[in-house]
Every structure is written in C-alpha cells, then in structure tokens.
Amino acid sequence: MDWVLWGGVALVVLYGISVYNGLVTFRTRVNQAFADIDVQLKQRHDLIPNLIETVKGYVVHERGTLEAVVETRNAALRAQGPADQAAAENALSGALGRLVALGEAYPDLKASANFQQLQTDLAEIEDKLAAARRFFNNGVAEYNAAIQHFPAVIFAGLMGFRQQVFFDVGETQRQALETPPKVAF
C-alpha cells in the first residue's frame, strides 16, 4: 500500500514538474517576442532624429509638428510593459504620420533623396514591427491558454504564472496597419 501511495505522489510531482517546465517555455517565448518588439521599436526610435533633421531643413513653419514627434518619441522611450508601450507607440505613430505627411505639402522635401530613403526605412521598420507584434500576441495567446487549461490551471497560479497582456495597437492603428504604409516619390 505504501508503494502505491508513493507512486501516486511521485506521479503528481512529475506532472507538476512537467507543467511548470511547459509554462516556463511559453513564458520565455512571450518574453523573447516582446524583446523582438523592443528591437524594432529601438530601430524606429533611432530613425526619428534623422527624419526630424531632414524635415527641419525644409519646413520652417511646422515647429509644432516636429516638437510633437520629439515629445511622443521621448514618451515612447520611457514606456514600460506592453500596454504602456502600445499606447505610447500609438501616439508616436500619429505624430510620425503627420510628419511624413509634410512631404506632400513641401515638394522640395518630397523630392529629397534623404527624405525618400528615410520614408522607405520607416516603412520597412513598420512592416517588421507589425510582424513582431503578431508573433508576440500569438505567444501571449498560447501562454494564456496554457495557464488556463485543466489541470495546469491548478499549478499555474501556485507557481506564479499570471495572464500576459496583448500588445494592442488600438482601433485607429489597427485600421492603419491593415493597409501597408505607402511610400510616395
């Protein structure tokens, strides 16, 4: 009888270890996917000063737009976690959209090879960022499902596994992302 009891305890412990390892794997994927988003955001943030400097030489009366881009970029750099970063990046995307739209109002700027290259670089980064967000959100969905499945749900809470938040770009950005960014020359 003791062997049966110890055998049952051993099976429960082994199953707990298996569940824990599986959940750690899912959590690690989510963390890696978030780091991938961070890399793309850093590239985007690094591109912005070049874009501002290029635009600054052509647009004299658009100081408010330039300041808005700088301010939202700084807010995006300070944001922590998926929810805060998504909100900050939404604001930055709007400001960047206004900045890039200046190219239409200033033909000399639109014709600038440097501005055109920066627009192309920005469009490429936005595409990579969208892919990184999809990968992250997929990882979050798998992780959240894994910690909710029975009997893993029993162990997950006890072992400190909590729901993760999706990187939500908001409804306005979602609609904008459905159509790829256009680079007009």
Side-chain angles (χ1 to χ4, degrees), residues 31-79:
N31 291 339
Q32 179 205 2
F34 190 72
D36 290 346
I37 289 175
D38 247 3
V39 167
Q40 297 305 320
L41 290 176
K42 175 148 179 32
Q43 288 179 349
R44 180 185 192 200
H45 296 160
D46 290 348
L47 181 67
I48 291 171
N50 295 335
L51 188 59
I52 289 173
E53 285 302 315
T54 300
V55 171
K56 198 186 294 184
Y58 290 91
V59 296
V60 179
H61 307 294
E62 304 290 346
R63 185 167 187 80
T65 302
L66 297 174
E67 288 173 355
V69 172
V70 170
E71 184 179 310
T72 56
R73 176 186 179 263
N74 291 340
L77 288 171
R78 289 187 304 268

Side-chain angles (χ1 to χ4, degrees), residues 22-28 30 138-148 160-164:
L23 294 176
V24 166
T25 299
F26 281 119
R27 184 173 57 194
T28 302
V30 168
N138 183 54
V140 168
E142 289 177 350
Y143 170 80
N144 288 345
I147 65 173
Q148 293 173 3
F161 292 93
R162 304 285 180 256
Q163 292 271 350
Q164 293 287 325

